[in-house]
Structures are given as C-alpha cells and as structure tokens.
Amino acid sequence: FAGESQMKSLRLLMPVLSVAVLTLAAALPWGLAAEDRFVLPLLPVIAIYQWTLDPDAWLPEWAIFIAGLTLDVLTQGPLGYWALVYLFTYIVALFASRVPAETAARRMALLAGAIVAVTGFSWALASFYFLQLLDWQPYARSTLITILAAFVLVPLLSVFRFRSRPARGIRLTRGGG
C-alpha cells in the first residue's frame, strides 16, 4: 500500500513538478544564440496549457505565478514579466478548454494558437516594458520552434496524466420510441 500511496502522490504533484522542471531548465545557460533564447521560457507554457486543460490535474494558479517569478529572478529579467506571461497562458488555456476539440489535430491546432497568443502577449508586454516596439522576428522564430517542441513535449507529459475517475465503457440507453 505504501508504494501505491507514493505513486498517487507523485501523480498528484506531476503537473507542478513538470512546470517547475521546465522552468528551471529554461533558466539554465544552454549556449543558445541571443535570438533563440526566448524558446526555453516558452516550454513551461506547453505544460501549463496541457495541465490546465486536464480536469484531473492539480496545477494551482499560485504555482504558475511562482514558476514565472522564479524564472524572472533566475534570469535577472524584469520582476513579474514571466509571472504575467504564465498567468496569461493559464487564462488562454481556460478559454481553450471551452472549445470542442475531439481530434488530436484539433487539440494541437488549439495549442499552436495558444502559443501564438502567449508569444504575442509576451512581445507586447516586453515592448511596453522597454517603451518601444521590439523586433518581432525572434518572437516569431521562437513561436515556431516552441510549436515543434510541443510535438515532443505533449506526448511526454501525457505519460504522466492520470484519471481520478475510471473510464466509461459502453453506455446502453433505452430508446424513447
């Protein structure tokens, strides 16, 4: 029973842990070119989006905020920038959860749209911070790379998904004449 309890606890914490790991990975010096450094902080966006859509996942808003704030501190960026971007991701995911997406292609298209929206918001926020329109090309390139990274990261995250309710089998209903 102890092993089962530990596994249940790990699965409960997996959304928070995955966002934390991706956030810490984004802060590490990977030696990327200056115009590609924006890709890494967008990786937690994928996890935040995916876990927010999962009704059985536990990813509280405060954990999202702390992940962004941690990235701000570790990268010595403007305090609150990534915290706002990650909370915006959460809001985008809440809106996306209301859009029916039965197929994998539709779900990936919604995720791609969310990445575009979040990147656009982050570009606008950074432009506001610096009081000038920043070059959009590094943001556009990072958007495309992040969308491609989602094809790897989404299946990886889905390995850790769980359901608190058993899957329903065939539903038999009586016809109403």
Side-chain angles (χ1 to χ4, degrees), residues 104-151:
R106 183 120 188 222
R107 287 189 294 273
M108 285 307 289
L110 275 173
L111 175 56
I115 291 169
V116 169
V118 169
T119 307
F121 174 77
S122 62
W123 171 80
L125 187 60
S127 293
F128 176 75
Y129 177 77
F130 289 108
L131 299 175
Q132 66 179 355
L133 288 180
L134 299 178
D135 184 14
W136 59 270
Q137 291 176 346
Y139 290 86
R141 185 174 29 260
S142 296
T143 300
L144 293 175
I145 295 170
T146 304
I147 290 170
L148 292 174
F151 284 101

Side-chain angles (χ1 to χ4, degrees), residues 60-138:
E61 296 86 356
W62 59 263
I64 296 168
F65 179 79
I66 289 175
L69 207 57
T70 300
L71 189 58
D72 293 333
V73 169
L74 293 177
T75 60
Q76 299 175 0
L79 198 58
Y81 175 79
W82 284 109
L84 283 174
V85 171
Y86 290 170
L87 287 174
F88 182 78
T89 301
Y90 175 74
I91 292 167
V92 168
L94 288 178
F95 280 110
S97 70
R98 297 172 187 229
V99 177
E102 294 80 26
T103 65
R106 183 120 188 222
R107 287 189 294 273
M108 285 307 289
L110 275 173
L111 175 56
I115 291 169
V116 169
V118 169
T119 307
F121 174 77
S122 62
W123 171 80
L125 187 60
S127 293
F128 176 75
Y129 177 77
F130 289 108
L131 299 175
Q132 66 179 355
L133 288 180
L134 299 178
D135 184 14
W136 59 270
Q137 291 176 346

